[in-house]
Amino acid sequence: MVTLFSTQGDNEKPLPYIPSSNTISSNSSRKNVLLIPYYNFSRYLETKHPRVAKYKKSILITIGLLILITIIVTIIVTAVSGHKKGDNTNEGGSTDLSGEGDGTYYDPGVGTGACGWLNNDSELVAALNAPQYGTSANPNDSPMCGKFVKVTGPKGSVKVKIVDKCPVCKNGDLDMSSTAFSQIAEMGQGRVKIKWKVVS
């Protein structure tokens, strides 16, 4: 490899040769171009910090490791952040739930509910929103079926049994029998803000 010499007094120091665009052969041009930053870094160390130059390989390895660690940490933080932003349900639903949303009422006596039971409007029952109910192949298998939740609305609280799924309800919503709804709000309101939590 051709070397150059610096003229700093009587101490001549060899400098690494940096290939120019005219001297890079067609067969090795890509390799040499990629090495130019390394040559520049080496020349900088040898001219400005000659004592440090002998550690250049260690310095480059350290820089590479720091970059790698930064990338790994970024990936981990992104993954953890994404997990925290997800809701607390899975395909089969969850039995450790609470929520805030809209409370409405319907007639559970119109047919068999998603849990497989036939109920009537005089019972304290409710249909849970689809996202928190779960998406099991058999809706009867949702672990939320038969769970009791305490619902609090503007008028008071009531404990209802989950017997159905509300397909159009958003996360946090509950669709209750009119008997249950009347204990937390006036019937004329139709839709109210509620908070609820699984109690058994």
Side-chain angles (χ1 to χ4, degrees):
M1 181 176 71
V2 178
T3 58
L4 303 176
F5 291 87
S6 64
T7 56
Q8 299 178 357
D10 296 330
N11 298 322
E12 294 185 345
K13 298 179 180 180
L15 300 178
Y17 168 67
I18 302 176
S20 66
S21 58
N22 295 328
T23 59
I24 297 176
S25 66
S26 59
N27 293 331
S28 61
S29 60
R30 181 177 299 177
K31 179 179 178 181
N32 287 336
V33 168
L34 292 175
L35 288 175
I36 287 178
Y38 172 76
Y39 291 140
N40 287 336
F41 180 69
S42 297
R43 184 168 67 174
Y44 170 78
L45 287 180
E46 293 184 12
T47 55
K48 300 294 184 180
H49 306 283
R51 293 183 179 180
V52 180
K54 60 181 179 179
Y55 301 111
K56 61 186 176 183
K57 288 185 178 180
S58 298
I59 294 173
L60 289 173
I61 292 174
T62 301
I63 293 174
L65 288 175
L66 289 175
I67 293 174
L68 180 61
I69 291 172
T70 300
I71 293 173
I72 293 174
V73 170
T74 301
I75 292 173
I76 293 174
V77 170
T78 302
V80 172
S81 177
H83 177 71
K84 288 183 177 180
K85 290 180 180 179
D87 60 38
N88 56 349
T89 64
N90 52 40
E91 290 187 357
S94 173
T95 58
D96 183 20
L97 285 176
S98 61
E100 294 185 34
D102 290 345
T104 52
Y105 64 90
Y106 78 116
D107 182 3
V110 297
T112 302
C115 291
W117 306 320
L118 182 60
N119 300 96
N120 60 67
D121 198 41
S122 64
E123 297 179 81
L124 298 176
V125 294
L128 181 63
N129 64 81
Q132 291 177 295
Y133 183 90
T135 56
S136 299
N138 183 351
N140 296 173
D141 293 336
S142 172
M144 288 302 295
C145 287
K147 292 296 178 181
F148 287 90
V149 301
K150 181 180 179 181
V151 188
T152 301
K155 184 179 176 181
S157 299
V158 64
K159 186 168 75 172
V160 299
K161 181 181 180 180
I162 301 299
V163 298
D164 202 356
K165 174 172 70 173
C166 177
V168 297
C169 293
K170 297 179 295 184
N171 192 80
D173 293 352
L174 279 179
D175 200 15
M176 295 163 276
S177 64
S178 60
T179 301
F181 185 87
S182 65
Q183 295 191 31
I184 65 163
E186 298 297 333
M187 295 300 296
Q189 292 180 274
R191 180 182 296 271
V192 295
K193 293 298 180 182
I194 60 169
K195 293 182 180 180
W196 59 269
K197 182 178 182 180
V198 173
V199 292
S200 62

